[in-house]
Amino acid sequence: MAVRRFDKLLIANRGEIACRIMRTAKRMGLSSVAVFSDADRDAMHAVLADEAIRIGPPPPKESYLNIEAVLDAAGKSGAGAIHPGYGFLSENADFAQACADAGLLFVGPSADTIRLMGSKSAAKALMQAAGIPIVPGYHERAQDLATLREAAERIGYPVLIKASAGGGGRGMRLVNNGGEFTEALASARREAMAAFDDDQVLIEKYLARPRHIVVQVFGDNHGNMVSLFERECSLQRRHQKVVEEALSVAVTPARRAEMSATARAAAQAVNYLGAGTVEFIADASGFYFIEMNTRLQVEHPVTEMITGLDLVEWQLRVASGEALPLKQQEARANGHAIEARIYAEDADKGFLPSTGVIRHWREPAGEGIRVDTGFRCGDAVTPYYDALLAKLIVWAPDRPQAIERMVHALHGFKIAGVTTNLRFLQVLLDHPQVARGDIDVGFIEREISALTAQAAPMRAIDMAAACAAVILHEQEEQGAQRDDSPWNRTDGWTLAGRRSRRLSFREDTHRYDAILWYGRDGLSMEFEEITAPLRWSEREPQSFDVILGDASERATATWSGRDLDLVTPHGRFALAWLDPFAADMQEAAAGSRIVAPMPGTVTRILAQPGTDLPRGAPLLVLEAMKMEHTLRAPADGRLTALKCAVGDFVQEGAELAEFEPADTSP
Ligand code: MV4
């Protein structure tokens, strides 16, 4: 095949993977085109690219999944190739076909290959015919109860009933004995029909505690097929990978050669082109093909770290028709790499997604540490997209050192403004079974209560940090000089001598109260019957050292209204400051500006400047978190200016209008 060069690459994706692809494109001298939705207008990938084109409003279906909009952007930009990243359109055969029809190089396999591998049962049947090991079972078309029951008896319980059209665990039913079979089959069929509009099922021998091991493969247009070792992906929760590593401690050199050869054979069976991942489940009895993914996977960096290769560069070269840069016998694995996925989710609240504005972002750095991200301080984490904030990847000469480096790097990663799973990852990487490599696909779910122990209660030193944060915050609000002159302190201290002040906070259902005592010898804090001198010194914006008696720690405090996001070495505390004067302050603050309480889209304007409005009159409607929020007049008065229009996507805190309360009007 002739080489088709291109000098401009459009990346049909967002977030960390878009930025990651752009880095390689830039290094290769290609110019890059980003596409963005209204929610991503200021996002890193749109800023990094040489060109950025708007493709629609935030909802994925109207933007990143909108084939017409993406192809239109490619046409406008004159891009020669499109990289789909992962997720979104990356495994959409119609999109791959549309790219080809538009004369664009799609960085990935052909539409036919994507379509073929998209049907899990067809893929399994093809692999079985090619001699690839699959889990022993029944995959035939006959679906009557008698045939299926007889197949289950022959396989031997326990068996798994799976939806033939399915994947990702939906429609799976474990059957331990014949007595359960009929009901389990009916239930599996109902779920398969609901999820895939197809109630065809297959039956397999159940592997009790398998590992999930995947092999990276690469095919080019010159008949070459190379495998680049395996990745251990067993640390996952509800079919979402959390931590991945290369290589797998459970794969001996002999098994590695066997799995790699099998993966290459599987890819050759479909004349695979580009980067692919052959997925297996494995236990002591062997390893078994479950599916083949036709995209570059999220966890590809661990393979890059142990081989020293750039897989995106390989993808771009292969897409232009070049031969693979390496022969199989030249591939080498060195050391050990681990990736931790940092999500905006609350592990202590059922991994609920978290949104908000990132108010503090500090990445770990150093030898063997890589951070792939699409976020920086000030960015909004919106509810529209996957909650992946960053991937932290570490390399070390061996696994114990890699784990140690990962744990240290996780502690060095500071994010405030959204709740993250950083603490969960620290606890997970610290677990003895993980240290031993004694894991399987069910490990996290079995250990979930130990891994997500309820947030530790605040210690006195943490409470001291919260109190110091309030005083620093008030000084900031009052614009006071940051010195200790008593005349500038806004915290009730007077030359007359001892004064006191109560500070109260709430975290979830827990309330914390402290009393600050102002004496001639300085400030003390009383908390849970202990009173000790309280001091602090600022380090950098939002970060300070706090000293309570002989205890000290560094803390990061980030405010959003009266919500204090406090990060200390003991954890992260989402505190509401119960400020006794809050009501009046809130009222006063609301007097002049109407601001967006969270990121969202302005969908309706309900009042015009100049008209007299009663307190509570609807002013405008913001759509966020898939709900409508009506912003209302904070007092009797009138709008003096509108600062937004219908259709605007606004960040949290953005000014939407100016409001003048009636009592201050002339
Ligand atoms: C299995 C299995 C045990 N025995 N098949 C889950 C969804 C799909 N990827 C295949 N899956 C499994 N198939 C047999 N015969 C256990 C799983 C499984 C799993 C597999 C890979 C990655 C994560 C998983 C989580 C739960 C169960």
Side-chain angles (χ1 to χ4, degrees):
M1 169 196 171
V3 171
R4 268 178 64 185
R5 289 259 174 261
F6 55 87
D7 55 17
K8 188 178 280 192
L9 174 72
L10 183 141
I11 295 96
N13 214 300
R14 63 181 297 282
E16 69 86 13
I17 192 59
C19 298
R20 184 259 172 279
I21 292 165
M22 275 170 215
R23 266 201 311 277
T24 291
K26 262 185 210 318
R27 189 170 54 74
M28 293 173 70
L30 299 172
S31 83
S32 54
V33 180
V35 290
F36 64 88
S37 72
D38 294 334
D40 285 338
R41 183 176 299 279
D42 306 322
M44 192 192 284
H45 78 282
V47 171
L48 268 185
D50 298 309
E51 294 171 58
I53 300 175
R54 176 188 180 274
I55 49 171
K61 280 193 175 20
E62 298 171 61
S63 51
Y64 298 101
L65 289 173
N66 181 337
I67 292 178
E68 194 184 329
V70 171
L71 291 179
D72 183 45
K76 269 185 208 154
S77 68
I82 294 190
H83 196 306
Y86 53 67
F88 292 129
L89 295 169
S90 64
E91 297 195 288
N92 182 314
D94 295 339
F95 177 62
Q97 191 55 54
C99 290
D101 296 348
L104 290 160
L105 279 173
F106 174 78
V107 179
S110 68
D112 290 346
T113 301
I114 294 173
R115 198 168 282 113
L116 181 58
M117 292 296 107
S119 158
K120 306 301 169 195
S121 57
K124 266 199 181 107
L126 188 148
M127 294 302 167
Q128 188 176 29
I132 307 297
I134 63 172
V135 180
Y138 172 87
H139 302 81
E140 311 307 321
R141 297 204 66 78
Q143 297 282 304
D144 58 286
L145 175 60
T147 303
L148 292 173
R149 175 184 287 281
E150 187 262 325
E153 305 287 343
R154 179 169 36 77
I155 293 164
Y157 290 103
V159 299
L160 259 185
I161 302 176
K162 290 182 175 180
S164 297
R170 292 183 63 176
M172 278 187 1
R173 285 292 178 284
L174 174 59
V175 189
N176 289 304
N177 56 59
E180 298 170 2
F181 189 81
T182 304
E183 172 44 36
L185 174 61
S187 164
R189 277 193 165 133
R190 282 193 299 272
E191 182 168 347
M193 182 53 87
F196 311 109
D197 195 23
D198 173 348
D199 68 353
Q200 174 101 0
V201 298
L202 56 90
I203 300 176
E204 290 182 350
K205 181 71 184 162
Y206 176 60
L207 277 63
R209 292 192 172 192
R211 286 171 182 266
H212 186 205
I213 294 175
V214 309
V215 175
Q216 181 71 56
V217 294
F218 241 104
D220 66 12
N221 255 314
H222 303 258
N224 302 306
M225 181 62 68
V226 167
S227 60
L228 294 174
F229 311 101
E230 81 276 2
R231 298 190 284 260
E232 170 75 69
C233 299
S234 298
L235 288 178
Q236 55 179 293
R237 184 186 156 273
R238 293 191 186 168
H239 303 288
Q240 175 177 287
K241 296 170 186 168
V242 174
V243 169
E244 306 99 335
E245 50 186 308
L247 299 164
S248 167
V249 293
V251 173
T252 62
R255 178 167 277 191
R256 175 164 299 118
E258 216 185 336
M259 290 183 84
S260 299
T262 302
R264 291 194 299 272
Q268 271 151 347
V270 291
N271 290 317
Y272 197 80
L273 179 71
T277 306
V278 183
E279 306 223 349
F280 300 98
I281 51 175
D283 65 6
S285 71
F287 59 92
Y288 310 92
F289 172 88
I290 46 174
E291 60 190 347
M292 178 169 191
N293 293 320
T294 57
R295 65 181 186 273
L296 184 66
Q297 307 244 122
V298 175
E299 78 276 1
H300 76 273
V302 295
T303 299
E304 294 187 321
M305 298 285 265
I306 61 164
T307 59
L309 302 172
D310 178 335
L311 300 189
V312 169
E313 177 178 356
W314 279 38
Q315 283 186 296
L316 298 176
R317 293 190 181 287
V318 165
S320 69
E322 289 185 35
L324 286 173
L326 212 63
K327 295 286 176 232
Q328 185 62 56
Q329 57 276 19
E330 294 166 327
R332 290 287 178 277
N334 170 37
H336 194 87
I338 305 174
E339 175 184 87
R341 299 188 188 194
I342 297 164
Y343 283 100
E345 59 189 13
D346 190 337
D348 291 341
K349 291 182 185 139
F351 292 86
L352 260 182
S354 165
T355 58
V357 175
I358 295 171
R359 300 192 183 286
H360 186 75
W361 180 278
R362 203 190 73 186
E363 299 175 3
E367 190 192 354
I369 293 176
R370 167 177 163 180
V371 176
D372 282 13
T373 187
F375 285 93
R376 60 227 193 278
C377 195
D379 284 354
V381 179
T382 68
Y384 298 107
Y385 310 114
D386 180 80
L388 182 67
L389 291 176
K391 295 168 354 192
L392 172 57
I393 307 108
V394 302
W395 178 90
D398 62 33
R399 187 169 188 269
Q401 291 178 76
I403 290 180
E404 186 183 348
R405 182 167 277 172
M406 174 59 85
V407 170
H408 186 71
L410 283 167
H411 281 286
F413 212 142
K414 300 294 181 195
I415 301 173
V418 287
T419 303
T420 73
N421 66 339
L422 274 167
R423 186 152 174 65
F424 167 70
L425 292 168
Q426 291 159 5
V427 175
L428 177 62
L429 270 295
D430 228 11
H431 195 291
Q433 271 188 260
V434 172
R436 292 198 302 272
D438 174 16
I439 53 177
D440 61 270
V441 298
F443 172 78
I444 288 182
E445 254 122 2
R446 284 198 306 274
E447 296 292 313
I448 198 69
S449 54
L451 295 169
T452 57
Q454 292 314 312
M458 279 177 79
R459 304 178 189 192
I461 185 71
D462 301 322
M463 189 60 177
C467 294
V470 166
I471 294 174
L472 288 167
H473 183 55
E474 283 181 327
Q475 287 175 347
E476 184 140 5
E477 294 279 296
Q478 310 288 336
Q481 303 308 316
R482 296 225 174 189
D483 62 27
D484 285 342
S485 148
W487 304 112
N488 281 327
R489 296 177 71 134
T490 59
D491 43 31
W493 193 89
T494 70
L495 290 174
R498 200 174 182 76
R499 285 283 306 278
S500 68
R501 178 186 183 186
R502 174 184 294 277
L503 287 182
S504 302
F505 301 89
R506 191 187 67 253
E507 183 178 43
D508 294 335
T509 55
H510 199 112
R511 179 184 168 113
Y512 297 98
D513 294 289
I515 298 175
L516 298 185
W517 296 97
Y518 302 90
R520 291 192 181 291
D521 48 0
L523 196 60
S524 298
M525 182 191 85
E526 180 185 344
F527 175 63
E528 292 178 348
E529 284 85 50
I530 296 169
T531 300
L534 170 60
R535 299 280 180 282
W536 61 86
S537 58
E538 284 195 88
R539 284 277 161 255
E540 55 199 34
Q542 298 162 342
S543 183
F544 55 92
D545 289 333
V546 60
I547 302 115
L548 180 71
D550 54 10
S552 69
E553 70 181 16
R554 171 143 318 169
T556 304
T558 310
W559 290 90
S560 174
R562 288 199 318 282
D563 292 336
L564 167 59
D565 198 338
L566 182 73
V567 180
T568 78
H570 302 120
R572 190 159 164 265
F573 303 96
L575 301 173
W577 171 32
L578 308 178
D579 173 3
F581 307 108
D584 311 347
M585 279 171 64
Q586 177 76 11
E587 207 70 16
S592 58
R593 298 166 66 236
I594 304 296
V595 297
M598 64 186 75
T601 306
V602 177
T603 54
R604 293 163 65 195
I605 305 262
L606 303 172
Q608 289 306 323
T611 45
D612 288 334
L613 300 162
R615 176 191 162 104
L619 301 176
L620 45 90
V621 176
L622 201 57
E623 183 186 285
M625 326 268 279
K626 301 183 182 61
M627 290 182 290
E628 288 203 340
H629 303 263
T630 300
L631 300 189
R632 299 179 180 277
D636 295 350
R638 64 176 65 177
L639 283 184
T640 49
L642 268 177
K643 302 284 183 84
C644 65
V646 171
D648 283 0
F649 178 78
V650 295
Q651 306 288 12
E652 179 193 5
E655 184 172 10
L656 306 178
E658 279 177 12
F659 184 84
E660 188 180 79
D663 53 1
T664 58
S665 45

